[in-house]
Amino acid sequence: MQPKSFLLCAVLFVALPAMALAEDRDFFVGLDLIGGIAGGTSSTTDGGAPFALGGVVDDVTFGTATGIGGHIGYRVDPALSAFVSYQHLRGDVSWNASFPAIGVVSDFEGKAISDMVLANVAYEVPLSEATAIRGTAGIGLSFNTLSDVVETDRGSGIFLADVAKHTEIDPAAQIGAGLRHKLASNAVLGLDASLAYSGGFETGNTRSGNLGVTDINPYKIDHVWRANLGASIRFEF
């Protein structure tokens, strides 16, 4: 099964029971806009073609990520709710790999894409009749993809290879806090800040370029954390 197909099945599997349990005005759906930053490290010391005798990854840098998402759930009581959320985040990523045995350094640039599905709980404390503060916590899975990765020579900037795309599936978790403001009887505007652990990324195991198509040891990025800001609109039924 393709990762995106699995993702859709997971959302439906968790969301349908919530829909069945929801009562009038307790059921809600929403759309999210998300932006943020990420950070990670790498433990790779044997990346690249085997004949190069081990590429050591350093200087992992993520650009600003942007994305969209959605959520669906139900209100257990006036303060407590449960919901399933989906986030799609995309941003630039770069790193370098040094090959001490042959005395060269390669630079890598590509796209880092995360599709996260989380089961969440939220607790709201009212500040007024229309406004409340909210805390959330969620756990689930993150489908992390490195794509469009290009390798260039550090010294000359010459193109060396395109590195194969790959998707990793890792456990994920998120905590957040924000504000909710009721715009109408069934419409709520939200502003949130969150911190998420989204697991790791890994390239494919081939490269295509100056040496033709060759097998490589994948380059890995470990323990990626994301700090996000988001805005949402929620409709209650």
Side-chain angles (χ1 to χ4, degrees):
M1 183 181 290
Q2 294 295 317
K4 288 187 178 179
S5 298
F6 180 85
L7 195 65
L8 179 59
C9 291
V11 171
L12 292 175
F13 178 80
V14 180
L16 287 175
M19 294 173 64
L21 288 172
E23 299 177 355
D24 290 345
R25 302 181 66 85
D26 291 333
F27 173 65
F28 57 85
V29 296
L31 297 174
D32 308 288
L33 294 176
I34 310 160
I37 58 175
T41 59
S42 178
S43 59
T44 301
T45 58
D46 62 349
F51 70 80
L53 302 179
V56 180
V57 173
D58 191 19
D59 195 24
V60 176
T61 303
F62 286 87
T64 301
T66 57
I68 59 173
H71 57 274
I72 181 170
Y74 67 98
R75 187 178 297 280
V76 179
D77 60 36
L80 183 65
S81 59
F83 62 98
V84 176
S85 63
Y86 165 73
Q87 299 176 6
H88 173 84
L89 287 163
R90 181 186 183 97
D92 295 330
V93 65
S94 64
W95 68 89
N96 63 57
S98 59
F99 299 87
I102 58 177
V104 299
V105 178
S106 289
D107 291 326
F108 297 82
E109 293 185 353
K111 298 294 183 182
I113 304 165
S114 290
D115 292 283
M116 295 179 63
V117 178
L118 300 172
N120 307 270
V121 293
Y123 191 84
E124 294 186 8
V125 177
L127 299 177
S128 68
E129 290 186 4
T131 305
I133 58 174
R134 187 179 80 151
T136 61
I139 57 173
L141 294 174
S142 186
F143 298 75
N144 298 322
T145 302
L146 287 177
S147 69
D148 302 325
V149 176
V150 176
E151 178 185 3
T152 57
D153 177 67
R154 165 65 64 87
S156 64
I158 293 174
F159 167 83
L160 295 179
D162 292 315
V163 182
K165 177 181 177 180
H166 179 73
T167 299
E168 283 283 295
I169 304 175
D170 278 344
Q174 179 173 277
I175 57 173
L179 291 172
R180 290 293 177 273
H181 182 75
K182 183 163 289 191
L183 300 176
S185 60
N186 69 335
V188 179
L189 176 68
L191 297 174
D192 291 279
S194 63
L195 179 66
Y197 175 78
S198 60
F201 291 80
E202 183 175 319
T203 68
N205 58 9
T206 60
R207 69 193 289 276
S208 306
N210 60 330
L211 301 175
V213 180
T214 56
D215 293 333
I216 63 170
N217 293 323
Y219 301 96
K220 300 178 181 180
I221 302 174
D222 310 312
H223 306 307
V224 175
W225 290 85
R226 295 185 178 276
N228 295 323
L229 293 175
S232 65
I233 183 71
R234 185 178 81 192
F235 299 96
E236 300 174 342
F237 302 94

